[in-house]
Amino acid sequence: MLVGPLEPAQMSRVGAGWRDWSSAIVGPRARVEAFQAERFAEPASTLRPGQVVDEMARQNVIRFKNVESVRVSCDPP
């Protein structure tokens, strides 16, 4: 579980569990932006508020092991 706001600019500096996601459930006010390069460069995919992704690879959502930075933001209530 990730609780935002959160902006790891270099996924190489966080735990291994961050790099092997195959599914995701995004909270009702959260947004997850994935980037293919460190420091939020080369946008790869965005998961919207309330989105449920059972299998990212099957649903054409980028696999998080290919992500080098991520931004989790929260919309105001």
Side-chain angles (χ1 to χ4, degrees), residues 37-69:
E38 293 181 349
R39 293 177 172 60
F40 317 110
E42 299 179 37
S45 184
T46 299
L47 303 178
R48 299 176 313 278
Q51 186 172 357
V52 176
V53 182
D54 294 335
E55 288 185 48
M56 290 187 181
R58 184 174 56 111
Q59 295 181 15
N60 294 324
V61 177
I62 191 166
R63 290 192 52 83
F64 272 76
K65 66 175 66 174
N66 299 327
V67 169
E68 295 301 327
S69 58

